[in-house]
Amino acid sequence: KEASYLKDNQCVNGGCGSGSLEDENQNVCIPCTSPCQNCSQVPTQCESCEPPNFLENNSCTLDCQPGTYKDATTNRCELCSLECEECSNFDQCTKCSEQDTQQGADCITGCSEGEYKHPTTGLCRPCSDNCNGCKTTSDTCLTCSSSEYLSSEHTCVTECESDEFQHESSRRCLKCSSDCKSCVDSASH
């Protein structure tokens, strides 16, 4: 026979559903502690969180710990890549570890700003003139001069492609929304 549980003054069959735990001894549903959206074992052990909170170590938080970032897709605090002390997503560093140099949103180990570490020789080489910072090759730009935009191919351009728009604050070419043939100042306009 399927177990029944008391939830919100009503009997429910087959389990309590999301947002609650089954107390099999007393046959009642115990709600997860807010802001837990779902929980396991105890009401305070979160499996997911109500927005704008993010899941970190089975708890919900508004601010993720250093070395992690807020992933809006998973609603979790996810780890930054190893060279980032702080980041806005996995490989977009906002602060590098002490031994690394920040170039744009990347951290470069052992090279000065305006240089990249050659992947084969391990030597620091200068970036090309149109790159303010680069990675893996002299032409794989991380940032551009103030009159240019960083393309999706990591080159510096004066105008973005027709299916992209010029994002002024980041100085990047960003893709238009898939339902737009072209856009001006945001992905959907």
Side-chain angles (χ1 to χ4, degrees):
K1 182 180 171 188
E2 196 172 34
S4 294
Y5 296 93
L6 182 63
K7 180 179 183 179
D8 299 326
N9 296 323
Q10 293 185 340
C11 288
V12 293
N13 292 323
C16 293
S18 65
S20 299
L21 294 172
E22 291 98 17
D23 181 333
E24 294 177 2
N25 294 327
Q26 297 181 7
N27 283 16
V28 295
C29 295
I30 302 169
C32 299
T33 305
S34 185
C36 289
Q37 201 167 39
N38 290 304
C39 54
S40 64
Q41 297 175 349
V42 295
T44 56
Q45 186 170 333
C46 304
E47 291 181 335
S48 63
C49 302
E50 299 166 355
N53 294 281
F54 292 85
L55 184 66
E56 184 171 51
N57 300 322
N58 296 100
S59 296
C60 295
T61 181
L62 291 170
D63 296 309
C64 295
Q65 297 293 316
T68 63
Y69 67 95
K70 296 175 183 178
D71 187 323
T73 306
T74 64
N75 245 41
R76 295 173 176 263
C77 295
E78 302 286 359
L79 287 175
C80 299
S81 65
L82 289 176
E83 69 268 8
C84 300
E85 192 170 308
E86 296 175 12
C87 64
S88 56
N89 65 42
F90 177 75
D91 59 358
Q92 297 285 305
C93 301
T94 55
K95 184 178 181 185
C96 297
S97 57
E98 284 184 28
Q99 69 271 18
D100 296 333
T101 302
Q102 185 147 359
Q103 292 190 17
D106 289 289
C107 297
I108 309 298
T109 303
C111 292
S112 301
E113 192 168 344
E115 295 181 328
Y116 72 100
K117 185 177 267 188
H118 192 277
T120 307
T121 65
L123 298 174
C124 295
R125 296 284 184 220
C127 299
S128 65
D129 290 340
N130 64 335
C131 296
N132 281 354
C134 60
K135 182 178 184 178
T136 64
T137 71
S138 64
D139 294 318
T140 308
C141 302
L142 299 172
T143 58
C144 301
S145 69
S146 61
S147 62
E148 295 181 303
Y149 296 88
L150 185 65
S151 74
S152 54
E153 288 82 37
H154 291 280
T155 59
C156 294
V157 296
T158 54
E159 288 187 27
C160 297
E161 297 291 324
S162 62
D163 64 340
E164 298 175 326
F165 69 97
Q166 296 172 340
H167 189 259
E168 293 300 325
S169 62
S170 69
R171 302 298 296 172
R172 290 177 174 257
C173 294
L174 301 178
K175 288 280 184 205
C176 299
S177 174
S178 60
D179 55 342
C180 296
K181 288 184 180 177
S182 66
C183 55
V184 181
D185 61 357
S186 74
S188 60
H189 289 98

